Every structure is written in structure tokens, then in C-alpha cells.
Amino acid sequence: MSTSPKATYEPLNEQTAIQLAVKLNVFEAATGLSCREIGDGNLNLVFHITESATGRGIIIKQALPYVRVIGESWPLTLERARMESEALQIFARYAPQYVPVVHHTDEQYAITVMEDLSRLKIVRTGFAEGEVYPLLSTHIGEYLARTLYGTSDFALGADARRELALQFHNPELCKITENFVFTYPLIDDESNAVEPGLTELAQELWSDQKLLLEGAKLKQHFMTSAEALLHGDLHTGSIFASDEETKVIDPEFAFYGPIGYDIGLFIANTLLSALARQDDTREQLLHHVTNVWNVFQTRYTELWQTDNQEHFAAVPGYLDYQLQHILEDTVGYAGSEMMRRVVGLAHAKDIEAIQDDAKRLHIKSSAARLARDFIVNRSRYQSAEQIVQALQQADQGVEIGI
Amino acid sequence: MSTSPKATYEPLNEQTAIQLAVKLNVFEAATGLSCREIGDGNLNLVFHITESATGRGIIIKQALPYVRVIGESWPLTLERARMESEALQIFARYAPQYVPVVHHTDEQYAITVMEDLSRLKIVRTGFAEGEVYPLLSTHIGEYLARTLYGTSDFALGADARRELALQFHNPELCKITENFVFTYPLIDDESNAVEPGLTELAQELWSDQKLLLEGAKLKQHFMTSAEALLHGDLHTGSIFASDEETKVIDPEFAFYGPIGYDIGLFIANTLLSALARQDDTREQLLHHVTNVWNVFQTRYTELWQTDNQEHFAAVPGYLDYQLQHILEDTVGYAGSEMMRRVVGLAHAKDIEAIQDDAKRLHIKSSAARLARDFIVNRSRYQSAEQIVQALQQADQGVEIGI
């Protein structure tokens, strides 16, 4: 598969972005439009166009044909723009209130024109600033149950599911996850960013054969199990929210994989923000962890019982088995994600922001111990409350015993 | 996906088959060729063309755009001819000595021109006639290890594996398996063929909630786990053999699925032939069951250790975990296959041939009890010897206790 830009591809600038908006008749008039590029320049251009008369806005997102991930530019398929816009449209079938509206897509230019979410804030940023987003986990639990159940064999039947899975053949982005989440953080790879006070702990992890074995199993399960259409990168940087509203964005890593991966990523990043938080709002973040699972479980159960194409769906024990399997994966993948946020390349912003070295190192080593337990002992977890209990044990420096 | 024949598709007859052979320059001269249609007329036309001067022959196989499976004709994709010929060519990369040579393919006409195997006999037929094929399990064990390991993530790396899996998107044939192997035999479906003396046993199986639960798990694993490129229908009717040679044919059900499925099908059908056999050659068939697993395990281990792209391949316990997982699936899928051969639509020829009612019913109910144990208790099996031990227990009417 080619990773080079197509012949006609050209990056937009603020002027041509406005021209495109006019051409697409997104606004009533062709005048009074202003445009600002608000992307991080790493993977995509993001243009925010607003109409001064009405205050209305739209977003034009354009994929760049490379990613700057380890200092140098690395060519990356423009196909990911198609993955993202198609995934957004599919997720909108199941959970329209939790994804931005897509107005227009152009595969050749790798462009998606979508709803302006500037009234909301990225949750990762909000969490680092002390926000709690009281409805976040209820919304994300609903989103997860509806999109993951909705795209599974149980809801779609195998034929339609297999067809949909073809559309989300996404090898380049899957490979990034396989490397940066599942492989490099568990070995002494040059891409890892381990701060000096943690080198001993990192060495210990990298020679922990039990951790490597269970990490390898999670990796293989990620690579081979086509359970549902995943967002594929559902950390708190992929969620916009306010106190009332929640929108999941950026599903360019979408592919058919294990259901627990999406849930695990949300839980891991919320746990890291909770660990970073020292005031009494920590409890509210921990509540998100139990609540997201409980909401997911309730809605998944309801969908399973009311809209299921599998002949054996009502066999006693089958739904319980599925939920326990998903929980086990959720815990394991939360562990993989936390591990990479401590010793891998991309860290948790709110933990890195802690200036007090002892405090920061304590949090990171608690997170690493917790991550190890999640990976190695994932099958012991029977409830989301136990996830929170394990965090409290890790933070207090006592042995994690679920 | 369209299941109707393409505009230019036309079925061959004995004359046009010869014309095609001449056009393809398969033989040195265009004269002295004779042709016989030897297919069963159910799914495919099979022309055997021989050159009288040299005695050389070839096979021209053409898919028909329907299948007669339950008395009436059922349209079925011609794509399966492409699946079959492409799978044969891929399997030939890994195990050339165990698959027929493909000389030519034509997608439009759904034609595969391949090696004449008339020197060999279909193993199902040979088994029914008392043959034992002393090298069969050594060859099939090699074939299974080489093709299944060779097409896995471990050998190919995830990128190449994902690409190959796309090529074997085979929903229509997968659906046949999902229905006729995994669903109908476990429920009171009209397609089942239960002989009168077994109705009580069948009712018992169909209301056995533990069996249904474990059967459902095996079905879902079959549907979602893309471990390796499977043959997909590896019963003894898909194998040609002599005392010296073995060739695996008819991989039209090829798709990415769980490794244990192929192994389980071979074992199930061999066990059924062993149960049907009352003389002292039964032991030789039972030897095939232990030997096919042991040969598979030995070769898989060697390939794993010498040609592995997975970073964690050498982590202690990982290979053992894989092998135990494959054995568990093998036992479970052997159970699903045996169950459908007793209560489902397509039965085991050699068992049906037994005239003595009491004897035949004893064998069938032993097979059904064994199948149930394989499905329900598959995780208890730690060796292929235990599979044979369970058969002996079932045949002697004692409780199966592995």
C-alpha cells in the first residue's frame, strides 16, 4: 500500500480552506469568514472557520502525508483520513449524540469537514486543569456499548460484520499501536522516554518474564481478534467535553479488534489523571472508572437482550461470559496503556506537569506497578470497583491484591 | 456481493474441456486426448483429461454457480474457485509436497487446471474400504504446521498477514460452516438428519445448556480469530493419499481463522473412521490422531524457534501457551465436527455403512458423547493421547474422565 500522497493532493492553507468552505456552501454567505489553523502540525492540519455574522463555525481537517513522531518525519498513509471520516459516520449510526457531525469528505485531499466543537474542551487538557466533567463516564459508557455492540457479530450478523471489517483494513495505524503500545514499552527500545529516577524500575519491568508473557498474549489478541469496530485510540485526548456534553473524535486508528481495548484506554488515561490529582476531586475521576464500566455493562446487556442475531444469545451464562471476557481485556489493555504512558514514548501530560520530583516519581512508579498488575493478573478482576481498589493499594504503596 | 454467475461464465462440457486443455498447451499434441467428468455434480464440475500416448493427465475443475445441499439448488459464489486456486498456491509455498500443482486459473470461468491425482484415492473412501495410509498423519501434521504457522502473524508479521487475510474474505463459505457445523447440529433444525434410534439422544444434546454455551464460544472464536489461513474444510474427503503420498485438495472454504479448526477436523473424521472400524486396524487409525498432533507440535515448535517475527517469541512459556491454546481449540473443534457428523446434515460414510442397527447406534452415541466431552471439557486436554483415551472410554461406555 502506497504511503505517498496522491498526485492531486495538496495541503490547504487558511485561504484555500475558506475557498473550500465557500465552494461547499457550508455557510449562507461567502463573505465575513475567518479561518485559523489550530492543529498541532504533527499529523494533521485543522482549520477552524467561523462566520462573523452568525458566529457559526466548522472544522476542516486534512491529513498530512507524514507524522513527526520521533523527531523526524515518517511517511504515513493518507488513507487514515478516510478511516476517520468513515468511522465517524458509522459510530454516528449507533451513538449520534457522542460524535461530531461529518458534513463532507474528500478522499483525494484527505479532508473531512465536520462540526465545530470549539464550545467544548479536550478532556485531557480539562483534566490537567482540574475539571471533572460529571457526565463524562456516563456518556462514554453509552458510546462504548452502542458502538462496540452495534458493530459486533451479535448485532450485525457475521456477513455484514465481515464486510464492514474489510472497510477498516488499517495496517499502518495498527502497526503503530503494536509497536508503541505493546512492544517498545516492554523492552529497552530507544523510542522509550524513561526519566532518570525510573531507570531501575524500567529495567526491572523489562526483565519481568511474567509481564512479558502476559503482554505478548494481549498483543496477539489485539492483532487477531475482530470483535468490533474500535475507535482504536480512545485516550482522553480524543474526547471533547463540557459539563453537559461529550464528543469522541479522531478515530483514525479504527479497525476491528477486541472490545476491551477501547474501554481499557479510557480507563487507563482517567486513572493516570486521577493519580496526578492530589485534591479531593480525585474521587470524582475514580468514579468515572467504575461508572464507565457499569454504564457500558448495563447498556451492552440491554442491547444483547433486545437486538441479537446470535442463535445462542439466550443460553444461560453466555452474556456473563462475554462481559467477563471484555472486563478481563479492559483491565489488561488499561495496563498496556498505562505502562506506555510511564515508560514509553508518549506520557501523561498531567503527571509530567508535577514539579515535585518525589511526588512525580511516586505517581509514576505507582502507575507502573498498577499497570503490571493489570497485565499479569487481569483475569482476577471481576468488577470495576476492584480496578479502583488496586489503584488505591498501589498509591498507598501496599501490595496489590485483587 | 453478487452470487450470480458472471456474464461470460459458461459451464464446460467434455468437449470444451478438451479444447481448453489444447488451448493452454497442457499436452504436447492436440490429438489423442480423452475426457471424463468425474465430479459429484453437487458443487463443481471436475474433468479428468488424459493423453493416450503418454498416459499423462490433468484435472480441470470448474465451480458451478449453485450448490445442491438440501435437495434444492442454492446459489453460491463463483468466487470460491478463486479462493481455492489462490489458497492452493499459497499452501504450496509452505508445503509443496502436500498440495496439487496448479497449472492455470481463470477467474471468469471459475476454472482451476491442476495436477492429476488419479494415482491416489480419497482418504474417506480408502478408510471406508479398510485402508490405513501409514504415512498419512505424518504428512498431514507437516502440512498443518507448515501452512498454519507459515501464514500466521509470527511467520509473516502483522502487515503481510493482514494483507493476505483480505484476499481470503470468504463470507459465504464461512456462513455455511457457521450454520452447518456450529449452529444447526446443536438445535432442533430441519436440516439435521437424526436417525430414529437417536432422537432421544439428540433431544438431550439440544437441551444441554453447558454444551450450548461451550458450542457458542467455539463458534464465536471461529468467527473472530484470524490466527492463520485455514484450509477450512479439512475432513478426510479433502485428502488424496496412497501408502507413500498425501495431497490436500479443495480449500474453497479457506479463510483466516483459529489454527485448531483445521487440526480438529482431521482428527474428528479420523476418530469417526476409527469408531466405525471393528478390526485390529483401528489402532492404526487412532495412531494417526496422536501422531498428527505430535508431528504438528514438533514442526510448529521448530518453525517458531527458527523463523519468528514476534519480538516476544522467546519469552519463557509463550510457545507452550500457544500450543496449549491450539490443542484446546483442536479438541473443541473436533467435538463440533463429530457432533455434526452424527446429528447434523452430512454424516460419516463408514459409520452409515454399518448394517447392524445396534452396532451403528452404539457407535453414533459414543461419538456424540465424545463430541460433547470435547466441546465442554476441551481445556482439560493436555495431550493427543488423552483424545484417544477419551474415545476408548466412550466406546466402552464408561464415563469420559480426562
Side-chain angles (χ1 to χ4, degrees):
Chain A
M1 185 163 293
S2 166
T3 56
S4 62
K6 294 184 180 147
T8 53
Y9 173 88
E10 235 180 85
L12 295 175
N13 57 41
E14 294 182 346
Q15 282 68 47
T16 54
I18 288 181
Q19 285 164 18
L20 178 66
V22 170
K23 195 179 131 205
L24 293 173
N25 286 318
V26 181
F27 297 100
E28 314 218 331
T31 54
L33 298 179
S34 63
C35 180
R36 206 157 56 91
E37 205 283 305
I38 56 170
D40 62 3
N42 206 22
L43 276 142
N44 304 294
L45 296 169
V46 182
F47 299 96
H48 181 204
I49 302 181
T50 45
E51 186 175 43
S52 56
T54 60
R56 283 188 58 231
I58 56 155
I59 292 293
I60 299 182
K61 182 169 174 180
Q62 183 177 38
L64 289 166
Y66 54 78
V67 55
R68 287 185 218 280
V69 73
I70 37 176
E72 60 199 83
S73 112
W74 170 10
L76 188 64
T77 177
L78 290 174
E79 269 270 295
R80 66 189 201 281
R82 179 180 73 76
M83 294 293 162
E84 176 174 344
S85 63
E86 291 183 3
L88 283 174
Q89 290 169 82
I90 285 162
F91 295 147
R93 285 185 209 158
Y94 302 105
Q97 59 276 57
Y98 305 121
V99 287
V101 176
V102 172
H103 297 299
H104 174 81
T105 63
D106 184 311
E107 214 179 306
Q108 220 160 37
Y109 285 85
I111 280 171
T112 308
V113 181
M114 64 184 127
E115 183 181 354
D116 176 12
L117 299 174
S118 58
R119 64 188 181 279
L120 310 177
K121 192 182 280 179
I122 287 290
V123 169
R124 175 183 283 162
T125 309
F127 271 177
E129 293 168 357
E131 301 272 2
V132 296
Y133 301 114
L135 296 179
L136 178 68
S137 49
T138 299
H139 291 168
I140 295 295
E142 283 283 335
Y143 163 86
L144 289 165
R146 291 181 183 280
T147 60
L148 297 170
Y149 183 79
T151 58
S152 73
D153 278 329
F154 300 105
L156 290 179
D159 276 17
R161 193 272 298 164
R162 286 181 202 275
E163 209 63 49
L164 192 57
L166 274 190
Q167 191 180 332
F168 291 93
H169 174 64
N170 201 354
E172 285 188 61
L173 288 263
C174 285
K175 192 174 192 167
I176 294 177
T177 304
E178 284 152 21
N179 287 337
F180 287 92
V181 177
F182 291 111
T183 307
Y184 301 157
L186 294 187
I187 64 176
D188 189 2
D189 188 84
E190 58 175 14
S191 71
N192 290 328
V194 180
E195 73 166 284
L198 282 181
T199 47
E200 205 174 314
L201 176 68
Q203 293 295 343
E204 202 181 297
L205 294 169
W206 295 335
S207 58
D208 181 335
Q209 300 300 312
K210 214 165 173 185
L211 173 63
L212 300 187
L213 175 59
E214 297 305 321
K217 292 181 193 175
L218 284 166
K219 179 183 174 185
Q220 204 221 355
H221 185 55
F222 175 87
M223 288 159 74
T224 56
S225 295
E227 296 175 357
L229 182 63
L230 306 192
H231 178 283
D233 195 28
L234 192 58
H235 51 67
T236 45
S238 297
I239 307 169
F240 265 115
S242 68
D243 280 1
E244 297 82 31
E245 233 186 327
T246 305
K247 298 279 184 186
V248 174
I249 61 164
D250 288 357
E252 57 197 354
F253 282 78
F255 82 111
Y256 262 81
I259 288 178
Y261 188 74
D262 271 1
I263 315 173
L265 251 64
F266 175 77
I267 286 181
N269 286 279
T270 304
L271 287 174
L272 289 169
S273 289
L275 277 170
R277 202 169 281 203
Q278 309 292 317
D279 63 20
D280 56 8
T281 61
R282 177 192 273 197
E283 283 307 312
Q284 292 173 265
L285 300 200
L286 293 179
H287 170 73
H288 283 321
V289 172
T290 49
N291 191 53
V292 76
W293 174 261
N294 294 332
V295 170
F296 168 81
Q297 178 170 257
T298 301
R299 182 64 65 205
Y300 189 93
T301 298
E302 189 203 280
L303 293 167
W304 176 284
Q305 287 167 343
T306 55
D307 170 29
N308 201 316
Q309 301 212 26
E310 172 53 57
H311 188 90
F312 299 112
V315 170
Y318 195 23
L319 171 61
D320 289 346
Y321 163 79
Q322 286 294 337
L323 288 169
Q324 178 55 33
H325 161 74
I326 297 172
L327 179 62
E328 184 177 325
D329 281 359
T330 294
V331 172
Y333 290 124
S336 307
E337 173 71 6
M338 289 179 77
M339 195 63 89
R340 76 131 169 168
R341 296 286 181 194
V342 176
V343 298
L345 173 65
H347 288 194
K349 201 171 169 172
D350 25 16
I351 295 178
E352 296 303 326
I354 297 172
Q355 296 297 315
D356 180 328
D357 286 353
K359 197 180 276 183
R360 191 181 62 254
L361 287 171
H362 169 77
I363 290 171
K364 285 190 178 184
S365 61
S366 299
R369 288 177 56 229
L370 191 57
R372 184 203 181 269
D373 196 75
F374 285 168
I375 293 171
V376 169
N377 296 319
R378 62 192 182 281
S379 66
R380 292 193 199 158
Y381 288 77
Q382 314 254 323
S383 71
E385 285 69 19
Q386 290 178 321
I387 296 174
V388 170
Q389 190 186 323
L391 175 133
Q392 282 152 347
Q393 291 167 342
D395 189 49
Q396 286 154 22
V398 302
E399 206 181 326
I400 301 169
I402 298 303
Chain B
M1 182 163 298
S2 167
T3 56
S4 61
K6 293 183 180 149
T8 54
Y9 173 89
E10 236 178 85
L12 295 178
N13 56 42
E14 294 182 347
Q15 281 68 46
T16 54
I18 289 182
Q19 285 163 17
L20 178 65
V22 171
K23 194 179 130 203
L24 292 173
N25 286 319
V26 180
F27 297 99
E28 313 219 331
T31 55
L33 299 178
S34 62
C35 180
R36 208 158 54 93
E37 205 283 304
I38 57 170
D40 61 2
N42 205 22
L43 275 143
N44 304 293
L45 296 170
V46 182
F47 299 95
H48 182 205
I49 302 180
T50 46
E51 186 175 43
S52 57
T54 60
R56 282 187 59 230
I58 57 155
I59 292 294
I60 299 182
K61 182 170 175 180
Q62 184 178 36
L64 289 166
Y66 54 77
V67 54
R68 286 185 218 277
V69 73
I70 36 175
E72 59 195 84
S73 113
W74 170 10
L76 188 63
T77 176
L78 289 173
E79 268 271 295
R80 68 189 200 280
R82 179 179 73 77
M83 293 294 163
E84 176 174 345
S85 64
E86 291 183 2
L88 283 174
Q89 291 170 80
I90 285 162
F91 296 148
R93 285 185 208 159
Y94 302 105
Q97 59 275 57
Y98 306 121
V99 287
V101 176
V102 172
H103 298 299
H104 175 81
T105 63
D106 185 310
E107 214 179 308
Q108 219 158 37
Y109 285 84
I111 281 171
T112 307
V113 181
M114 64 183 126
E115 184 181 354
D116 177 12
L117 299 174
S118 58
R119 64 189 182 279
L120 310 176
K121 192 183 278 178
I122 286 290
V123 169
R124 176 183 284 162
T125 310
F127 272 176
E129 294 167 356
E131 300 272 3
V132 295
Y133 301 114
L135 296 179
L136 178 69
S137 50
T138 300
H139 291 167
I140 295 295
E142 281 285 333
Y143 163 87
L144 288 166
R146 290 182 184 279
T147 60
L148 296 171
Y149 183 79
T151 58
S152 73
D153 278 329
F154 300 105
L156 290 179
D159 277 18
R161 193 272 298 165
R162 285 182 202 274
E163 209 63 50
L164 192 57
L166 274 191
Q167 191 181 330
F168 291 93
H169 174 65
N170 201 354
E172 285 187 61
L173 288 264
C174 285
K175 191 173 193 167
I176 294 175
T177 304
E178 285 152 21
N179 288 336
F180 287 92
V181 178
F182 291 111
T183 307
Y184 301 156
L186 295 186
I187 64 178
D188 189 1
D189 188 84
E190 58 176 12
S191 71
N192 290 326
V194 180
E195 72 167 286
L198 281 181
T199 47
E200 205 174 313
L201 175 69
Q203 293 295 345
E204 203 183 294
L205 294 168
W206 295 334
S207 58
D208 181 336
Q209 300 300 311
K210 214 165 171 185
L211 173 63
L212 300 187
L213 175 58
E214 297 306 321
K217 293 181 193 173
L218 284 166
K219 178 181 174 185
Q220 203 220 357
H221 185 55
F222 175 87
M223 288 159 74
T224 56
S225 295
E227 295 175 358
L229 182 63
L230 306 190
H231 178 284
D233 195 29
L234 193 58
H235 51 68
T236 46
S238 297
I239 307 171
F240 265 117
S242 68
D243 279 1
E244 297 82 31
E245 236 187 323
T246 307
K247 299 279 183 185
V248 174
I249 61 163
D250 288 356
E252 56 197 356
F253 283 79
F255 82 110
Y256 262 81
I259 288 178
Y261 188 73
D262 271 2
I263 315 172
L265 251 64
F266 175 77
I267 286 181
N269 286 278
T270 305
L271 287 173
L272 290 169
S273 289
L275 277 170
R277 202 169 280 201
Q278 308 291 316
D279 63 21
D280 57 8
T281 61
R282 177 191 274 196
E283 282 309 311
Q284 293 173 263
L285 300 199
L286 293 178
H287 171 73
H288 283 321
V289 172
T290 50
N291 191 54
V292 76
W293 173 261
N294 294 332
V295 170
F296 168 81
Q297 179 169 256
T298 301
R299 181 65 65 205
Y300 189 93
T301 297
E302 189 203 281
L303 292 167
W304 176 282
Q305 286 167 344
T306 55
D307 171 30
N308 202 316
Q309 301 212 27
E310 172 53 56
H311 189 91
F312 299 112
V315 170
Y318 196 24
L319 172 61
D320 289 346
Y321 163 79
Q322 287 294 336
L323 287 168
Q324 179 54 33
H325 160 75
I326 297 171
L327 179 62
E328 183 177 325
D329 281 359
T330 294
V331 172
Y333 290 124
S336 307
E337 174 70 6
M338 290 179 78
M339 196 63 90
R340 76 130 169 167
R341 296 287 182 192
V342 176
V343 299
L345 173 65
H347 289 195
K349 201 171 168 172
D350 24 17
I351 296 178
E352 297 303 327
I354 297 171
Q355 296 298 314
D356 181 329
D357 286 354
K359 197 180 274 181
R360 191 181 61 254
L361 287 171
H362 169 77
I363 290 171
K364 285 191 178 183
S365 63
S366 299
R369 286 177 58 230
L370 191 57
R372 184 205 181 266
D373 197 75
F374 285 169
I375 293 172
V376 170
N377 296 319
R378 62 192 182 282
S379 67
R380 292 193 197 158
Y381 287 76
Q382 313 253 325
S383 72
E385 284 70 20
Q386 291 178 320
I387 297 174
V388 170
Q389 190 187 322
L391 175 133
Q392 283 152 346
Q393 290 168 341
D395 188 49
Q396 286 155 21
V398 303
E399 207 183 322
I400 301 170
I402 297 302

